[in-house]
Amino acid sequence: YYCVVLEMTKKISEILKRVLEKINPTEEEVYLIKCIVNDFKEKISRKIKELKIKAEVFVGGSFAKKTMIKKDFYDIDIFIRFDKKHRNISELTGKILKDFKKKEVKGSRNYFIIDKGHFFIEIVPVLKISNPRKSENVTDLSYSHVNYIRKKAKGKILDGIKLAKAFCHANGCYGAESYVRGFSGYAIELLVYYYGSFLKFARAFEKIRIKEVIDIEKHFKNKNDVFMDLNESKLHSPIILVDPTYKNRNALAALSYETFEKFKKICSEFLKDPSERFFEPRISNLKKIKFQA
């Protein structure tokens, strides 16, 4: 039995090594993105100064966290962090981007997309807050999320996150949008950091029980406190992942029971018969993928 387990672990390790080589962006791609980001950041920082707006620019998403995987099109998240004295920050962002060709996307707070051909830059207005309780939108927490992952996820953990993202993408479980109701990029980053590797994450989720509570920073003394403290609307998901940067938020609140069961099944299938095909998007899924952090 021990020899069989050892052989299977070796096989999985070789598969994951090959997958990583495929999903890692090239040095040229990373360098090009870095140049585009720095140039754009400089231009809008200059415009903010000209308009005498109290705001700062920071790069977010998977590029900032070094968890980006290879794609046909890359999306880069750039946040404009406004002082809380400013209102209508979406409107202000539009003024800052006046000279750029852009598309405004409607949402709980409007944001903008600039098409650079092989890249999409998403410019997201957020409030500069020190206390997460003062957030008015989930994007206001992005600054804390980026800093947390950059501080915690290093070396092999980053490889594990990339593998988990590719695995979730390929199997239609990536994204918190209503048409997926799966794992957001941030949730995947937290889970791989918590378990220690992609493989441990997959093994854990093959057997995980409904209403399991994962509290990385141990914000709560016990499971009952979580269910007492969190808003009821945040507790409908099959797993509760306490946001380490904000204890009153469930980072897996969007996960549906259907996606959860599908993901468990896929983890089980992969562990029984590991193959690179589990990391290769099916044609039907390609149409659904929305590139995000």
Side-chain angles (χ1 to χ4, degrees):
Y1 173 76
Y2 180 71
C3 290
V4 173
V5 171
L6 206 65
E7 195 62 38
M8 183 63 86
T9 304
K10 189 183 173 188
K11 184 183 176 181
I12 292 174
S13 180
E14 286 168 358
I15 287 166
L16 297 183
K17 191 180 174 183
R18 288 197 297 272
V19 170
L20 259 178
E21 286 170 6
K22 289 180 186 176
I23 66 172
N24 262 324
T26 64
E27 283 182 22
E28 290 82 2
E29 284 174 312
V30 173
Y31 178 74
L32 183 58
I33 292 169
K34 195 175 179 181
C35 289
I36 288 170
V37 165
N38 288 344
D39 178 60
F40 186 78
K41 191 179 168 186
E42 195 180 301
K43 282 176 181 171
I44 57 174
S45 294
R46 207 158 48 230
K47 196 70 184 169
I48 287 166
K49 203 173 177 180
E50 274 175 34
L51 294 168
K52 293 184 169 60
I53 294 168
K54 206 170 178 188
E56 59 189 41
V57 183
F58 81 93
V59 182
S62 55
F63 178 71
K65 293 180 276 189
K66 297 181 180 175
T67 62
M68 188 171 69
I69 59 174
K70 197 173 180 67
K71 297 172 186 172
D72 292 332
F73 298 94
Y74 290 98
D75 65 311
I76 314 300
D77 296 334
I78 292 182
F79 295 86
I80 301 179
R81 207 165 169 236
F82 290 89
D83 187 273
K84 56 181 179 288
K85 74 170 187 175
H86 291 298
R87 307 316 296 169
N88 302 320
I89 59 174
S90 289
E91 196 180 306
L92 273 179
T93 303
K95 284 181 183 175
I96 292 164
L97 301 173
K98 188 186 168 192
D99 300 330
F100 293 89
K101 191 180 174 185
K102 62 200 174 291
K103 177 188 171 189
E104 187 169 359
V105 182
K106 304 288 180 188
S108 55
R109 188 188 281 153
N110 293 4
Y111 64 97
F112 299 83
I113 294 177
I114 292 173
D115 187 346
K116 289 276 188 181
H118 193 45
F119 306 94
F120 290 98
I121 299 176
E122 290 191 2
I123 304 94
V124 185
V126 297
L127 285 176
K128 185 177 182 179
I129 52 167
S130 52
N131 183 346
R133 285 182 182 275
K134 292 183 178 175
S135 62
E136 294 178 12
N137 188 296
V138 70
T139 54
D140 293 339
L141 301 170
S142 300
Y143 186 76
S144 302
H145 293 172
V146 169
N147 288 339
Y148 185 83
I149 296 300
R150 285 181 69 167
K151 184 182 171 186
K152 299 289 186 179
K154 300 179 190 299
K156 293 287 181 188
I157 296 292
L158 293 175
D159 289 343
I161 289 168
K162 290 174 188 176
L163 288 164
K165 284 188 175 185
F167 187 81
C168 289
H169 260 310
N171 295 288
C173 299
Y174 188 99
E177 298 87 354
S178 57
Y179 60 87
V180 181
R181 296 201 62 197
F183 299 85
S184 68
Y186 179 55
I188 290 169
E189 289 157 356
L190 291 177
L191 289 165
V192 174
Y193 166 66
Y194 175 71
Y195 288 111
S197 72
F198 162 71
L199 192 52
K200 287 176 182 175
F201 165 51
R203 282 174 176 157
F205 263 72
E206 181 195 18
K207 295 172 182 173
I208 201 164
R209 292 180 180 180
I210 282 175
K211 294 301 175 188
E212 178 87 20
V213 172
I214 299 167
D215 184 5
I216 298 170
E217 293 295 329
K218 296 183 171 53
H219 286 304
F220 296 95
K221 284 183 180 177
N222 56 57
K223 187 175 174 176
N224 288 341
D225 285 354
V226 175
F227 286 90
M228 290 286 287
D229 227 45
L230 259 68
N231 187 298
E232 197 185 334
S233 64
K234 305 284 190 291
L235 298 169
H236 292 162
S237 60
I239 304 296
I240 314 301
L241 173 58
V242 178
D243 187 336
T245 73
Y246 182 25
K247 65 181 272 189
N248 296 104
R249 180 175 178 266
N250 172 13
L252 277 176
L255 182 65
S256 70
Y257 281 83
E258 186 186 355
T259 304
F260 171 69
E261 291 300 338
K262 178 169 81 165
F263 186 72
K264 281 187 71 171
K265 185 171 177 282
I266 291 159
C267 286
S268 183
E269 287 170 3
F270 170 74
L271 294 166
K272 284 187 180 75
D273 184 21
S275 161
E276 287 176 53
R277 68 184 168 84
F278 286 95
F279 298 87
E280 293 161 0
R282 295 160 186 76
I283 298 301
S284 60
N285 284 340
L286 281 172
K287 292 175 184 174
K288 292 180 183 178
I289 291 172
K290 179 187 174 187
F291 299 113
Q292 60 163 290

